[in-house]
Amino acid sequence: MNSLDRLRKIFLRSLESDFSEPEWNRQPDSLYAPQRYILGIGGKRLRPILALMAAESMGRNALEALPVAHAVERFHNFSLIHDDIMDEAPLRRAKETVHEKWNTNIAILSGDVLFVKAYELICKNPPNLIPALMQVFNRTALEVCEGQQMDMDFETRNDVTIPQYIKMIEYKTAVLIGASLQMGAIIAEASESCQEKIYAFGKNLGIAFQLQDDYLDAFGNPLTFGKQVGGDIIANKKTFLYLTALQKSTHSEAQELSSLFATMPKDPSDKITAVKEIFVSSGAAKATEDEILRYTNTSISLLQDIKISQQHKDTLKSFADFLMNRNV
């Protein structure tokens, strides 16, 4: 069994045990059932696994990082619930989103409780580590919210640049991956230098991960991707694919793409097909794949400066390779 599978099993056993705790029997059940649902319907558990992996790679037992792992998983699922509401998304992990299964008001409150629980879990760590953990968590939570607002703002702007888009996905997605690693390093009481380097590794990996997610949103298999394929196109999101296609396409294609992203048809099938054809013909699809590889390679190169064993570097590299090869 590789480290990724082993750490995932450790976290999933802990999560299953957690569901038997009294907190999940609190009332009203309509507030807690959606939390059990979103936490229980799968996902790759990337962020909690990274927290465990970082602690272990820096000399601690992975079990010591479980409170942090649960905290980042709760915060991540809080953000997914709210993100799905804002995007009016029908699916999450190939299942109904929380607001579709219950309603928007219940989804908002359930997400809020997950956020509160994340803070509660951070406070279960050794008292001398809580200030550093809280500093990283608060900074990250703020940046994730800023990234989400940027994402929504970009939907109605026609002047979004590629650097602005990269900054948005850095905040919305990548910083939480970096923070998961850094918080694991804090549990291991690693040096500030090691914390900063493993955070940078995670942040670059997170940008690659989100670019891959954007690519799969257009070109993924709906049976395995777990979300509505073409959702970003339907919502007129200015992704790296879209912005690159505008730069690389012919004048007529760019005009057609801009026109398509000014519409919200009741049946978006033809729009999705037309946009994907431009993404391919312009070279934007290939350019996105190249960018995913570039950020992944940057992330891997950063591992060389982290003072951990080669075995643990190889484990982290394997994790990066796993993310890069999500061919679904």
Side-chain angles (χ1 to χ4, degrees):
M1 182 188 304
N2 63 35
S3 291
L4 180 60
D5 290 336
R6 177 175 55 81
L7 293 173
R8 180 186 286 111
K9 286 187 176 182
I10 287 173
F11 179 74
L12 290 177
R13 282 198 301 268
S14 178
L15 183 62
E16 184 177 353
S17 175
D18 185 58
F19 282 150
S20 66
E21 293 296 318
E23 70 169 287
W24 293 111
N25 294 318
R26 292 171 63 94
Q27 295 298 316
D29 187 63
S30 55
L31 179 63
Y32 290 93
Q35 297 171 54
R36 293 193 298 270
Y37 172 77
I38 190 70
L39 287 169
I41 62 172
K44 295 180 177 64
R45 317 294 184 178
L46 305 179
R47 295 151 190 84
I49 290 170
L50 284 173
L52 301 179
M53 194 177 289
E56 190 171 80
S57 70
M58 295 185 180
R60 283 292 197 275
N61 188 314
L63 297 178
E64 296 180 50
L66 276 171
V68 159
H70 281 286
V72 297
E73 184 70 352
R74 278 167 170 72
F75 175 78
H76 175 57
N77 281 275
F78 143 77
S79 71
L80 295 182
I81 290 175
H82 285 215
D83 191 20
D84 287 340
I85 293 168
M86 295 174 200
D87 288 346
E88 299 180 356
L91 295 176
R92 170 67 63 181
R93 298 165 183 159
K95 303 286 186 180
E96 280 185 290
T97 47
V98 171
H99 69 277
E100 287 284 335
K101 188 173 177 64
W102 282 272
N103 61 52
T104 299
N105 290 339
I106 286 175
I108 291 170
L109 281 174
S110 296
D112 290 346
V113 174
L114 284 172
F115 198 169
V116 172
K117 285 294 180 182
Y119 277 109
E120 184 178 90
L121 284 157
I122 289 172
C123 291
K124 289 184 177 180
N125 287 286
N128 63 308
L129 302 181
I130 290 174
L133 291 169
M134 201 68 79
Q135 182 179 27
V136 172
F137 183 79
N138 285 338
R139 181 196 70 211
T140 303
L142 181 62
E143 289 174 344
V144 169
C145 291
E146 290 172 349
Q148 174 64 10
Q149 186 62 53
M150 290 178 199
D151 192 19
M152 292 189 296
D153 289 347
F154 289 176
E155 291 178 21
T156 56
R157 282 178 51 187
N158 295 317
D159 59 345
V160 179
T161 66
I162 288 176
Q164 287 173 336
Y165 177 75
I166 294 297
K167 175 58 69 174
M168 182 274 289
I169 64 173
E170 176 188 333
Y171 277 16
K172 184 176 176 180
T173 299
V175 295
L176 184 55
I177 291 176
S180 299
L181 286 158
Q182 185 175 2
M183 292 169 78
I186 290 171
I187 294 298
E189 299 187 73
S191 68
E192 287 190 17
S193 175
C194 283
Q195 290 180 35
E196 290 169 1
K197 288 171 182 176
I198 205 164
Y199 175 84
F201 161 76
K203 187 173 73 172
N204 279 274
L205 188 61
I207 293 172
F209 176 81
Q210 185 58 52
L211 288 170
Q212 178 84 310
D213 204 62
D214 293 349
Y215 180 87
L216 294 174
D217 187 273
F219 297 105
N221 184 336
L223 297 178
T224 53
F225 182 45
K227 293 188 287 186
Q228 180 183 29
V229 172
D232 288 346
I233 296 171
I234 294 169
N236 297 329
K237 290 199 172 183
K238 312 301 192 298
T239 64
F240 187 89
L241 274 165
Y242 171 82
L243 296 170
T244 304
L246 281 182
Q247 287 188 355
K248 289 180 170 290
S249 60
T250 64
H251 179 68
S252 61
E253 281 183 330
Q255 284 188 320
E256 180 185 1
L257 187 58
S258 296
S259 296
L260 286 165
F261 268 61
T263 64
M264 296 283 285
K266 288 185 178 180
D267 182 356
S269 301
D270 290 342
K271 173 183 174 179
I272 291 170
T273 299
V275 169
K276 286 170 65 174
E277 287 175 355
I278 295 173
F279 285 169
V280 173
S281 63
S282 66
K286 178 61 166 59
T288 303
E289 291 180 298
D290 291 343
E291 199 73 353
I292 292 165
L293 183 60
R294 186 175 74 83
Y295 274 101
T296 303
N297 288 340
T298 297
S299 177
I300 292 170
S301 70
L302 288 165
L303 283 176
Q304 305 312 312
D305 293 331
I306 303 175
K307 293 183 178 180
I308 55 177
S309 71
Q310 188 59 49
Q311 179 183 352
H312 285 123
K313 288 180 182 180
D314 290 343
T315 298
L316 288 163
K317 182 181 181 299
S318 295
F319 189 93
D321 291 340
F322 162 73
L323 290 187
M324 187 177 70
N325 292 308
R326 290 185 303 150
N327 296 319
V328 297

